Each structure stands twice: as structure tokens, then as C-alpha cells.
Amino acid sequence: LSNELPFGFKNINCKKVVTIHDVIFKRYPDWYKKVDRKIYDRKTKQACDVADKIIAISNQTKKDLIEFYQVDESKIEVVYQACNPIFYDNENVPFRNENISKYKLDKPFMLYVGSLTGRKNVFEIIYAFEKIMSKTDHDLILIGNGKQKDAIENYIFDNDLDQRIRLYNNFPTSDLPPLYQLATLTLYPSTFEGFGIPIIESLWSKTPVITNSGSCFKETA
């Protein structure tokens, strides 16, 4: 089970295993509503207490569980995540060409894939791109959805950046591999994650990633 075990499960006579992805709500409480923090905290603590074995998706999450919930280290196993197998195929040139035409990818580009929330620092990507825009022939493609979607769209149009920056919402997963493969590089400057799957999606696509040095990012890469 993921991130929680049912209450009342403690007295059931079987081995109990839970996977914990992250406890970001403990490290960055201001990013969450107070009621949500309380619910997540209660569920995570109960799961850690009851589970016979905890699977953490990174050593970063393992360290956080030890720090915030005093979990016995021997109780935790780190099992890394994989990504969708569709990212493993780099040889489908016809499909890649089809997407070049479909999305009019006639210029080199940098790519961001992920949610559009403050933690992901998408605005920082845009601000950085504005500074180098006149010095590069690359465009910027953003793929994702989230709370900042409207604000990001407004900023792009209000500052006449829509000829160089494209934002796609509800992008089909099946079309993502060619985008990763065609990008010159992927940008993933998130502040903190439990793992960071876009990093390995990009690396499977043989595309380098610019990411932060903190959290789990070096470990994931």
C-alpha cells in the first residue's frame, strides 16, 4: 500500500508493508493547508508504527522518515522507482518524425515536464529563459498542469513570449518520449521531491537534465 495503512490494521495477523514516497509536508509545511498536514502526518506516523517493513523510494525519503518519525533504520528498504517503459525505446524514428510535424518542432528546444506549482520553480525557468532568449535559437516547451497554470499563461502572453515559449496542458503521455528525445536538454529545478521521475524519463531518452543539487536529485540521476 502507498503512504498509509488502514486504521485498525495493527491487530490483523499478517505482515504489513507500506511504501512511503515522501514527507514533504513535514519539511516544507507552508506548502500545505494545516488540515492536510495533520491528516498526512497522522496517516504517515500510523503507517510507520504499524508496518513490518517500509519501502522508501529514495535514500532522501529514508532519511526523512528517520528524522521526522524516528523510524528504526533496519525497518526501511530503499527501492527506486522506474518510469513507464514507453521511454525505453529510442529507435522509433517514424513516430519521432510524426511528432515533429504534429507539434511543429522545427527549432531546437529546452523541455520542462511536471506540475505547475510553486515547488517546481517553473517561473524561475521562464525568468532564466528570458535572460538568454536573445542569445539562443532554442525555444522553451513546458508540459504540465497545476495551480500556477493560469498565472504562467498570463505571464507568457502579457510579456509577448508566446512565440518562444509554449505551454501544453493535458499532454498525451504517449507523445512524451519523442519530445524528450528531441529536446536539447530537460529542465527540472524543483525545490524538493521524493524521487523526480522526469529525471529518469529524460535520461532514458538520452537527453541531459539540468536539476538542483539538493533533495534526491543527484541520487535519482
Side-chain angles (χ1 to χ4, degrees):
L1 295 174
S2 182
N3 279 14
E4 61 182 287
L5 291 173
F7 286 97
F9 207 47
K10 185 175 183 178
N11 298 321
I12 294 176
N13 186 26
C14 68
K15 293 294 184 181
K16 305 162 190 71
V17 182
V18 66
T19 299
I20 303 293
H21 291 260
D22 63 69
V23 289
I24 299 173
F25 57 89
K26 294 288 284 186
R27 190 169 289 282
Y28 294 97
D30 292 344
W31 293 350
Y32 297 82
K33 295 178 182 177
K34 185 176 181 180
V35 64
D36 290 338
R37 290 201 314 266
K38 286 189 173 183
I39 292 170
Y40 298 154
D41 185 43
R42 185 183 179 207
K43 286 183 174 182
T44 303
K45 184 179 186 309
Q46 190 262 350
C48 289
D49 290 344
V50 170
D52 295 289
K53 185 65 70 176
I54 299 168
I55 296 172
I57 65 169
S58 64
N59 277 298
Q60 178 64 60
T61 295
K62 177 180 178 179
K63 290 175 186 176
D64 288 348
L65 291 172
I66 294 169
E67 177 181 347
F68 292 113
Y69 293 100
Q70 294 74 55
V71 178
D72 186 339
E73 183 175 357
S74 65
K75 193 175 178 178
I76 307 172
E77 295 288 342
V78 175
V79 180
Y80 291 124
Q81 292 183 298
C83 63
N84 192 318
I86 64 173
F87 294 99
Y88 302 167
D89 179 11
N90 283 265
E91 306 303 325
N92 196 341
V93 176
F95 185 48
R96 201 152 56 225
N97 290 337
E98 178 186 318
N99 278 268
I100 290 173
S101 175
K102 181 177 179 179
Y103 295 105
K104 296 180 173 57
L105 303 173
D106 52 352
K107 292 177 64 178
F109 64 91
M110 295 174 272
L111 177 68
Y112 167 81
V113 178
S115 60
L116 306 178
T117 58
R119 184 173 94 226
K120 305 291 188 175
N121 295 316
V122 182
F123 267 112
E124 281 66 23
I125 293 175
I126 296 171
Y127 300 152
F129 182 74
E130 281 185 279
K131 290 184 178 181
I132 66 165
M133 197 167 61
S134 63
K135 303 174 184 178
T136 180
D137 58 351
H138 281 66
D139 285 345
L140 174 62
I141 295 179
L142 311 171
I143 296 177
N145 215 329
K147 294 179 179 178
Q148 289 189 331
K149 179 180 81 71
D150 291 344
I152 289 170
E153 284 181 338
N154 290 338
Y155 186 89
I156 290 170
F157 286 106
D158 290 348
N159 290 276
D160 298 320
L161 300 172
D162 53 300
Q163 296 301 309
R164 300 291 304 276
I165 301 177
R166 283 189 261 170
L167 173 59
Y168 292 104
N169 310 125
N170 304 313
F171 195 86
T173 301
S174 59
D175 286 353
L176 272 177
L179 268 289
Y180 273 116
Q181 293 167 24
L182 291 162
T184 300
L185 56 88
T186 300
L187 303 163
Y188 196 71
S190 177
T191 303
F192 198 92
E193 299 291 332
F195 189 71
I197 285 180
I199 294 173
I200 58 170
E201 290 175 344
S202 186
L203 293 179
W204 269 109
S205 305
K206 297 182 170 57
T207 299
V209 183
I210 294 178
T211 186
N212 278 340
S213 59
S215 184
C216 62
F217 304 123
K218 283 185 178 181
E219 182 184 357
T220 302

